[in-house]
Amino acid sequence: MPLQEKILGAALGEELQLHSSLCRREAGDFQRAIQSGAEVVVACTQERRLFGEIGEQTEGAVSPIKFVNIRETGGWSRDASNAMPKLAALLAAAHLPDPEPVPTVTYKSSGRLLVIGALEQAERAASFVGDVLDVTLFTQGGAGAQERRYPVLGGRIDSLQGWLGAFELKWSHDNPIDLDLCTRCNACVAACPESAIGLDYQIDMGKCTSHRACVKACDAAGAIDFAREPEAFSEHFDLVLDLRGETAFARHAPPQGYFRWNGQDLGTLLKLREMVGEFDKPRFFDYKQKLCAHSRNETVGCKACIDVCSAQAISSEKSRQRIKVNPSLCVGCGACTTVCPTGALTYAYPRAGEQGLKFKTVLSTYAKAGGKAPVLLLHSQERGQQLVEELGRAAQLKKAQGVPAHVIPLALWHTASVGADLWLSAVAFGASQVCVAVTNEEAPQYIDSLKAQMAVAQAILNGLGYTGIHFQLLWADSAQQLDIGLQALAQTRQQTPAAAARFAVSAEKRGTLELALDHLVELAPARPHAIELPAASPFGAIAVDKDKCTLCLSCVSACPAGALQDNPELPQLRFIEKNCVQCGLCATTCPEDAITLQPRLLVGPGRKAARVLNETPPYACIRCARPFGTLKAIESMIGKLAGHSMFQGAALERLKMCGDCRVIDIHSARDEVKITDL
């Protein structure tokens, strides 16, 4: 692997010494470095364990140690000689501080395992884990062993819900044979003339013709009772092993603690054996209800987070004007945070500011080292990282091209955790392209979400005159597919801003988007008045049908972003386009159906200014001349009530009065029947 330490050192602002065998014959240099107290970055992940052992054996070793892979990510490729800017960028990223700690979610498991499936298979699975786990079987047919080693349940499963340490099984016992009382003597099996009883010791009621020979045969144990009423039961478990063909959870991401086993993969059973104790995971999200555009007055607007969640961890609480996230079900994909138009949901580990700092550091270091047209390759830290490393090893063996010199791989907890705000920021920081590598581990709704967000971001850049394709999904289920996709990137050309942005990514999503857009607009080759955007856009305007609108202003109270405003002095409906998140609450709330959404990006200072969408003269009371409503609203009300029997003659005229005059007129009218008269 060719390394040019002077180029790397200049880009990183430090003097570097080249080593070729740091963990072996040159280990003394490593030991002296970790005794210095300064942070040490080791550009090798293969020998992480060996470096750790050397550190433990080194007296006075106090330096924190970080590891970064520069071999498979770029050093092993056909154009490795041109990869120094990329390697400098990866080393600079490794110097960044670790993400700030966040609150954790704790699971507690005492090892209560429920195995669901055919009795013979369930007993086989239990034999592998029964020495460390407290196993209960729920039989689904099949033949079991004569020795009853584990508690056996049977019947109809009504529901299975929960997560690691908190699963609840609800089932109905609707079979005449009580498995707790059954001794497996097989007398009932032998006595049944219809062969309706199998070795799972449950009666097939479709075959049974009520001879009841089994009841006589089971007289001693008393396990069979055809008169027994079906009973509902529930029990709690910490873990579930499901052997059935269909999953109990119809979602892409099942809850923690739920495992499926095909009878072959022993790795699943090994994982089960380790699932006893306390387990912590980061609380991956932050939620700010005051920014949420989900509902107002029990009217639902935005539900993008609910629709995209593959773990079904998000639910609606429209009566409380919010959504609810179950942290125990959340798997940390972050898709909900990227589709949220307001930033009410934000990704917490790492935070947007920390991720933005990494992008900015990588791209600025790459440029400082002389690199041109960098491409950020965002991939998952599991399957995606595995494919990148496989590709690097294939390139070292001359079986592949490898990761190109201008492509900088960056691992994410999940590819869905970064969206348009950070993508556009990356382009503003100097990236020519942002490529997201997706594999078969991603849920279908994640792919749809990424495509929709990329369409919006791309429409913005192309609308501003930046030619080319700046955002791309790269499908790869093998290193060969990844290699082909990465080589195709070299054939594309993108126009980018002439200068890199210097802003810091904000914790507020809308704030980051505004900073990125301001920079992109300032240096844009084109300045259109407005850019039409796809329907998934978090930017846009609204169109108001003035013939229908009565200026009731219900839309103003429904708007969660302050985009719609009234005027305390005049009957006006005003709008600030910058604030609009296209949640649709105004349109669904409007009683006249007078509002439609217009996804677009208005370019220029008018986007941040308030403009009048509709106005009407005030309506003056016919008795005191004081304004008390709008002309359109009063005329509409009179038109709707004029034919009603309750509003004829003087009663209709009172609709044209303010509240005070209406009361005065009723009490002063001589022909009105009063309660005192009755």
Side-chain angles (χ1 to χ4, degrees), residues 655-669:
L655 294 178
K656 303 175 184 179
M657 301 177 188
C658 66
D660 292 341
C661 290
R662 196 175 301 138
V663 174
I664 293 172
D665 188 70
I666 291 174
H667 284 275
S668 61

PDB file of all heavy atoms in Angstrom, residues 655-669:
ATOM      1  N   LEU A 655     -78.250  38.591  12.972  1.00  0.00           N
ATOM      2  CA  LEU A 655     -76.975  38.007  12.535  1.00  0.00           C
ATOM      3  C   LEU A 655     -76.033  39.077  12.022  1.00  0.00           C
ATOM      4  O   LEU A 655     -74.818  38.849  11.922  1.00  0.00           O
ATOM      5  CB  LEU A 655     -77.225  36.966  11.431  1.00  0.00           C
ATOM      6  CG  LEU A 655     -77.991  35.706  11.835  1.00  0.00           C
ATOM      7  CD1 LEU A 655     -78.201  34.808  10.618  1.00  0.00           C
ATOM      8  CD2 LEU A 655     -77.252  34.941  12.926  1.00  0.00           C
ATOM      9  N   LYS A 656     -76.578  40.252  11.707  1.00  0.00           N
ATOM     10  CA  LYS A 656     -75.757  41.345  11.193  1.00  0.00           C
ATOM     11  C   LYS A 656     -75.284  42.266  12.312  1.00  0.00           C
ATOM     12  O   LYS A 656     -74.681  43.298  12.050  1.00  0.00           O
ATOM     13  CB  LYS A 656     -76.554  42.158  10.172  1.00  0.00           C
ATOM     14  CG  LYS A 656     -77.087  41.325   9.008  1.00  0.00           C
ATOM     15  CD  LYS A 656     -77.971  42.153   8.090  1.00  0.00           C
ATOM     16  CE  LYS A 656     -78.577  41.291   6.986  1.00  0.00           C
ATOM     17  NZ  LYS A 656     -79.472  42.088   6.087  1.00  0.00           N
ATOM     18  N   MET A 657     -75.581  41.866  13.550  1.00  0.00           N
ATOM     19  CA  MET A 657     -75.190  42.683  14.701  1.00  0.00           C
ATOM     20  C   MET A 657     -74.043  42.031  15.456  1.00  0.00           C
ATOM     21  O   MET A 657     -73.858  40.810  15.424  1.00  0.00           O
ATOM     22  CB  MET A 657     -76.384  42.855  15.660  1.00  0.00           C
ATOM     23  CG  MET A 657     -77.599  43.504  15.053  1.00  0.00           C
ATOM     24  SD  MET A 657     -78.952  43.579  16.266  1.00  0.00           S
ATOM     25  CE  MET A 657     -80.297  44.152  15.231  1.00  0.00           C
ATOM     26  N   CYS A 658     -73.313  42.858  16.194  1.00  0.00           N
ATOM     27  CA  CYS A 658     -72.269  42.322  17.065  1.00  0.00           C
ATOM     28  C   CYS A 658     -72.923  41.632  18.251  1.00  0.00           C
ATOM     29  O   CYS A 658     -74.148  41.741  18.469  1.00  0.00           O
ATOM     30  CB  CYS A 658     -71.343  43.447  17.529  1.00  0.00           C
ATOM     31  SG  CYS A 658     -72.144  44.668  18.599  1.00  0.00           S
ATOM     32  N   GLY A 659     -72.155  40.964  19.058  1.00  0.00           N
ATOM     33  CA  GLY A 659     -72.701  40.188  20.163  1.00  0.00           C
ATOM     34  C   GLY A 659     -73.458  41.034  21.163  1.00  0.00           C
ATOM     35  O   GLY A 659     -74.527  40.642  21.653  1.00  0.00           O
ATOM     36  N   ASP A 660     -72.946  42.211  21.499  1.00  0.00           N
ATOM     37  CA  ASP A 660     -73.603  43.065  22.483  1.00  0.00           C
ATOM     38  C   ASP A 660     -74.937  43.577  21.951  1.00  0.00           C
ATOM     39  O   ASP A 660     -75.965  43.528  22.651  1.00  0.00           O
ATOM     40  CB  ASP A 660     -72.697  44.248  22.834  1.00  0.00           C
ATOM     41  CG  ASP A 660     -71.455  43.813  23.586  1.00  0.00           C
ATOM     42  OD1 ASP A 660     -71.463  42.687  24.146  1.00  0.00           O
ATOM     43  OD2 ASP A 660     -70.478  44.576  23.607  1.00  0.00           O
ATOM     44  N   CYS A 661     -74.928  44.060  20.716  1.00  0.00           N
ATOM     45  CA  CYS A 661     -76.159  44.617  20.151  1.00  0.00           C
ATOM     46  C   CYS A 661     -77.213  43.532  19.945  1.00  0.00           C
ATOM     47  O   CYS A 661     -78.423  43.804  20.049  1.00  0.00           O
ATOM     48  CB  CYS A 661     -75.859  45.322  18.829  1.00  0.00           C
ATOM     49  SG  CYS A 661     -74.909  46.856  19.028  1.00  0.00           S
ATOM     50  N   ARG A 662     -76.781  42.321  19.673  1.00  0.00           N
ATOM     51  CA  ARG A 662     -77.727  41.226  19.475  1.00  0.00           C
ATOM     52  C   ARG A 662     -78.501  40.961  20.771  1.00  0.00           C
ATOM     53  O   ARG A 662     -79.721  40.779  20.766  1.00  0.00           O
ATOM     54  CB  ARG A 662     -76.968  39.975  19.033  1.00  0.00           C
ATOM     55  CG  ARG A 662     -77.834  38.895  18.433  1.00  0.00           C
ATOM     56  CD  ARG A 662     -76.970  37.764  17.916  1.00  0.00           C
ATOM     57  NE  ARG A 662     -76.034  38.242  16.904  1.00  0.00           N
ATOM     58  CZ  ARG A 662     -74.759  37.866  16.825  1.00  0.00           C
ATOM     59  NH1 ARG A 662     -74.293  36.997  17.701  1.00  0.00           N
ATOM     60  NH2 ARG A 662     -73.984  38.339  15.883  1.00  0.00           N
ATOM     61  N   VAL A 663     -77.796  40.989  21.912  1.00  0.00           N
ATOM     62  CA  VAL A 663     -78.450  40.770  23.209  1.00  0.00           C
ATOM     63  C   VAL A 663     -79.400  41.922  23.529  1.00  0.00           C
ATOM     64  O   VAL A 663     -80.542  41.721  23.987  1.00  0.00           O
ATOM     65  CB  VAL A 663     -77.389  40.616  24.315  1.00  0.00           C
ATOM     66  CG1 VAL A 663     -78.059  40.545  25.689  1.00  0.00           C
ATOM     67  CG2 VAL A 663     -76.556  39.366  24.078  1.00  0.00           C
ATOM     68  N   ILE A 664     -78.937  43.144  23.280  1.00  0.00           N
ATOM     69  CA  ILE A 664     -79.769  44.326  23.556  1.00  0.00           C
ATOM     70  C   ILE A 664     -81.045  44.289  22.718  1.00  0.00           C
ATOM     71  O   ILE A 664     -82.156  44.553  23.212  1.00  0.00           O
ATOM     72  CB  ILE A 664     -78.970  45.609  23.280  1.00  0.00           C
ATOM     73  CG1 ILE A 664     -77.820  45.743  24.280  1.00  0.00           C
ATOM     74  CG2 ILE A 664     -79.875  46.835  23.327  1.00  0.00           C
ATOM     75  CD1 ILE A 664     -76.862  46.865  23.966  1.00  0.00           C
ATOM     76  N   ASP A 665     -80.891  43.919  21.458  1.00  0.00           N
ATOM     77  CA  ASP A 665     -82.043  43.906  20.564  1.00  0.00           C
ATOM     78  C   ASP A 665     -83.073  42.853  20.985  1.00  0.00           C
ATOM     79  O   ASP A 665     -84.282  43.088  20.907  1.00  0.00           O
ATOM     80  CB  ASP A 665     -81.572  43.640  19.138  1.00  0.00           C
ATOM     81  CG  ASP A 665     -82.693  43.810  18.122  1.00  0.00           C
ATOM     82  OD1 ASP A 665     -83.120  44.964  17.905  1.00  0.00           O
ATOM     83  OD2 ASP A 665     -83.140  42.783  17.561  1.00  0.00           O
ATOM     84  N   ILE A 666     -82.597  41.711  21.445  1.00  0.00           N
ATOM     85  CA  ILE A 666     -83.517  40.654  21.892  1.00  0.00           C
ATOM     86  C   ILE A 666     -84.319  41.115  23.100  1.00  0.00           C
ATOM     87  O   ILE A 666     -85.542  40.932  23.180  1.00  0.00           O
ATOM     88  CB  ILE A 666     -82.741  39.351  22.197  1.00  0.00           C
ATOM     89  CG1 ILE A 666     -82.200  38.737  20.906  1.00  0.00           C
ATOM     90  CG2 ILE A 666     -83.625  38.359  22.940  1.00  0.00           C
ATOM     91  CD1 ILE A 666     -81.301  37.537  21.135  1.00  0.00           C
ATOM     92  N   HIS A 667     -83.660  41.760  24.055  1.00  0.00           N
ATOM     93  CA  HIS A 667     -84.338  42.150  25.304  1.00  0.00           C
ATOM     94  C   HIS A 667     -85.195  43.399  25.127  1.00  0.00           C
ATOM     95  O   HIS A 667     -86.122  43.636  25.915  1.00  0.00           O
ATOM     96  CB  HIS A 667     -83.306  42.382  26.412  1.00  0.00           C
ATOM     97  CG  HIS A 667     -82.766  41.115  26.982  1.00  0.00           C
ATOM     98  ND1 HIS A 667     -83.413  40.425  27.991  1.00  0.00           N
ATOM     99  CD2 HIS A 667     -81.657  40.384  26.676  1.00  0.00           C
ATOM    100  CE1 HIS A 667     -82.727  39.336  28.293  1.00  0.00           C
ATOM    101  NE2 HIS A 667     -81.647  39.287  27.509  1.00  0.00           N
ATOM    102  N   SER A 668     -84.894  44.198  24.110  1.00  0.00           N
ATOM    103  CA  SER A 668     -85.688  45.411  23.912  1.00  0.00           C
ATOM    104  C   SER A 668     -86.845  45.204  22.936  1.00  0.00           C
ATOM    105  O   SER A 668     -87.725  46.060  22.817  1.00  0.00           O
ATOM    106  CB  SER A 668     -84.799  46.557  23.403  1.00  0.00           C
ATOM    107  OG  SER A 668     -84.218  46.211  22.141  1.00  0.00           O
ATOM    108  N   ALA A 669     -86.871  44.088  22.249  1.00  0.00           N
ATOM    109  CA  ALA A 669     -87.940  43.834  21.281  1.00  0.00           C
ATOM    110  C   ALA A 669     -89.243  43.521  22.020  1.00  0.00           C
ATOM    111  O   ALA A 669     -89.279  42.673  22.923  1.00  0.00           O
ATOM    112  CB  ALA A 669     -87.551  42.681  20.362  1.00  0.00           C
TER     113      ALA A 669
END
